[in-house]
């Protein structure tokens, strides 16, 4: 009987075109990369992205170098919305990994069976560990692989949008940065859940998903939001899942997304009853997945799985 895994990865959503496409599989072998730093930036104020195309470019570069089976390093996305890690079929073949029994992956648009592969993983200064990857085509996952919650449990994941780095570090920080806003979080299937959030005054269950380009709400949230703002225009689009499946969605510009004491400016939100919302029994209650498009409005977002805490740093120059 196939083991059931959960993958919450979503792709695509180009609002201007009204269609979606998976990001180019641009992640590649990082030659002699000692850390996850990408392009060094000048010492200048961070300006949040102003378009989804800019977000897509930033998202494609927010990867961490990992060593697989003593080879690499390779650029993997750290996906805080996925319970299980995934490796590209092409990379698994290049490394000569033996394929094991099929597993069932629950993606954004449905369920898909995929072979598994067991191998070793080394991330940063951490010791080498054994990991059972699900194996999917590189074109579907948009790169060489994704690290899910099974590899970052009890770690601290920092998305540094200003410095263009992605760090996965062991816990241990005791001091508090006075420029950060701390929020306690609860767990749902291992994922950090922010309970203090609302959209247009509607209380919502919010999840942080570093493996998604775009923010997606469920239909219950859409209906309530549009009831309050019936003149809001909507555009049809498609969401791509790492499972290779798609689901129809709508995009609407809605203001007043609030997370804790932070209010965000107008930004397009996609709405669809993702299969993952069904798994969480959140079809009838307003819920939202906060993707990189919203997370990148901050200089840094730190997900501390060791303390069940999320820390945000606002841009020093304020909102763009």
């Amino acid at each position: 009987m196939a083991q059931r895994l959960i993958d919450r990865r979503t792709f695509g959503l180009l609002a201007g075109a009204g269609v979606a496409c998976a990001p180019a599989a641009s992640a590649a072998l990082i030659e002699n990369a000692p850390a996850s730093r990408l392009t060094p930036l000048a010492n200048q104020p961070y300006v949040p992205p102003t378009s989804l195309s800019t977000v897509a470019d930033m998202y494609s570069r927010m990867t961490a170098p990992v060593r697989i089976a003593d080879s690499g390093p390779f650029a993997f996305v750290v996906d805080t919305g996925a319970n299980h890690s995934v490796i590209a079929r092409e990379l698994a073949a290049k490394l000569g990994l033996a394929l094991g029994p099929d597993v069932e992956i629950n993606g954004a648009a449905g369920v898909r069976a995929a072979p598994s592969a067991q191998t070793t993983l080394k991330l940063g200064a951490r010791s080498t560990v054994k990991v059972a990857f699900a194996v999917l085509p590189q074109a579907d996952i948009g790169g060489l692989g994704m690290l899910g919650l099974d590899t970052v449990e009890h770690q601290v994941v920092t998305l540094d949008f200003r410095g263009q780095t992605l760090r996965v570090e062991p816990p241990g920080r005791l001091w508090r940065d006075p420029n950060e806003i701390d929020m306690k979080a609860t767990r749902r299937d291992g994922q950090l859940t922010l309970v203090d959030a609302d959209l247009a005054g509607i209380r919502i269950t919010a999840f942080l998903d570093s493996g998604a380009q775009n923010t997606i709400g469920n239909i219950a949230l859409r209906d309530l939001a549009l009831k309050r703002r019936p003149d809001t225009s909507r555009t049809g689009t498609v969401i791509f899942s790492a499972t290779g499946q798609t689901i129809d969605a709508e995009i609407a510009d809605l203001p007043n997304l609030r997370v804790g004491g932070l209010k965000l400016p107008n930004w397009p939100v996609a709405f669809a009853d993702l299969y993952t919302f069904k798994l969480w029994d959140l079809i009838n209650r307003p819920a939202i997945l906060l993707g990189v498009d919203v997370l990148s409005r901050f200089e840094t977002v730190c997900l501390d799985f060791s303390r069940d805490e999320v820390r945000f740093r606002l841009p020093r120059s304020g909102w763009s």
Side-chain angles (χ1 to χ4, degrees):
M1 183 175 181
Q3 179 185 1
R4 183 171 294 276
L5 310 176
I6 297 177
D7 161 49
R8 299 191 173 90
R9 170 71 166 226
T10 54
F11 293 107
L13 291 179
L14 300 182
V19 297
C21 62
S26 57
L29 174 66
I30 306 174
E31 297 293 345
N32 302 318
S36 58
R37 178 167 294 279
L38 301 169
T39 305
L41 297 179
N43 186 18
Q44 56 188 359
Y46 174 64
V47 178
T50 56
S51 69
L52 291 184
S53 60
T54 305
V55 170
D57 178 62
M58 176 183 290
Y59 169 84
S60 69
R61 292 180 283 117
M62 292 294 288
T63 58
V66 302
R67 296 189 65 85
I68 305 294
D70 294 325
S71 298
F74 304 101
F76 273 41
V77 170
V78 177
D79 188 349
T80 60
N83 276 21
H84 200 82
S85 297
V86 179
I87 189 171
R89 182 175 60 196
E90 293 82 349
L91 179 58
K94 179 179 179 181
L95 297 176
L97 302 183
L99 298 184
D102 281 1
V103 293
E104 284 186 358
I105 301 175
N106 293 324
V111 181
R112 172 177 175 176
S116 59
Q118 294 195 11
T119 184
T120 58
L121 165 73
K122 183 173 176 56
L123 174 62
R126 296 175 60 189
S127 301
T128 300
V129 297
K130 291 184 178 180
V131 176
F133 285 99
V135 182
L136 290 172
Q138 182 170 334
D140 287 350
I141 64 177
L144 296 180
M146 302 182 299
L147 299 179
L149 296 178
D150 56 331
T151 57
V152 299
E153 183 72 10
H154 306 304
Q155 301 295 301
V156 180
V157 177
T158 301
L159 305 172
D160 184 344
F161 296 103
R162 180 177 183 273
Q164 294 190 13
T165 65
L166 190 157
R167 301 187 299 275
V168 180
E169 302 165 309
R173 189 177 90 162
L174 299 178
W175 63 278
R176 297 286 180 177
D177 187 335
N179 296 315
E180 289 182 337
I181 299 174
D182 299 343
M183 291 183 60
K184 293 302 293 183
T186 59
R187 293 288 189 105
R188 184 186 290 265
D189 292 335
Q191 190 173 17
L192 293 180
T193 305
L194 301 176
V195 294
D196 184 20
D198 65 68
L199 176 64
I202 302 167
R203 291 297 298 268
I204 55 178
T205 299
F207 302 89
L208 301 181
D209 191 347
S210 66
Q213 283 180 222
N214 307 91
T215 293
I216 304 172
N218 62 6
I219 298 301
L221 176 59
R222 181 203 66 179
D223 292 346
L224 288 172
L226 293 181
K227 184 179 295 185
R228 299 192 179 190
R229 298 179 178 273
D231 58 340
T232 300
S233 62
R234 293 171 283 171
T235 303
T237 189
V238 177
I239 295 172
F240 284 85
S241 171
T243 60
Q245 299 159 305
T246 62
I247 185 172
D248 292 335
E250 291 182 337
I251 290 181
D253 285 335
L254 290 173
N256 302 326
L257 175 60
R258 182 187 64 83
V259 178
L262 310 175
K263 290 185 178 180
L264 281 71
N266 285 15
W267 196 255
V269 177
F271 295 97
D273 274 339
L274 303 180
Y275 185 72
T276 46
F277 287 136
K278 297 178 182 178
L279 291 174
W280 295 331
D281 193 25
L282 287 173
I283 292 297
N284 298 318
R285 290 179 289 166
I288 198 167
L289 290 174
L290 300 178
V292 170
D293 59 332
V294 166
L295 300 181
S296 61
R297 307 300 297 179
F298 303 93
E299 278 197 9
T300 62
V301 177
C302 180
L303 294 88
D304 191 334
F305 290 94
S306 68
R307 295 186 174 91
D308 289 348
E309 182 177 273
V310 181
R311 297 186 286 271
F312 301 90
R313 177 192 283 269
L314 283 166
R316 297 170 191 173
S317 58
W319 297 115
S320 62

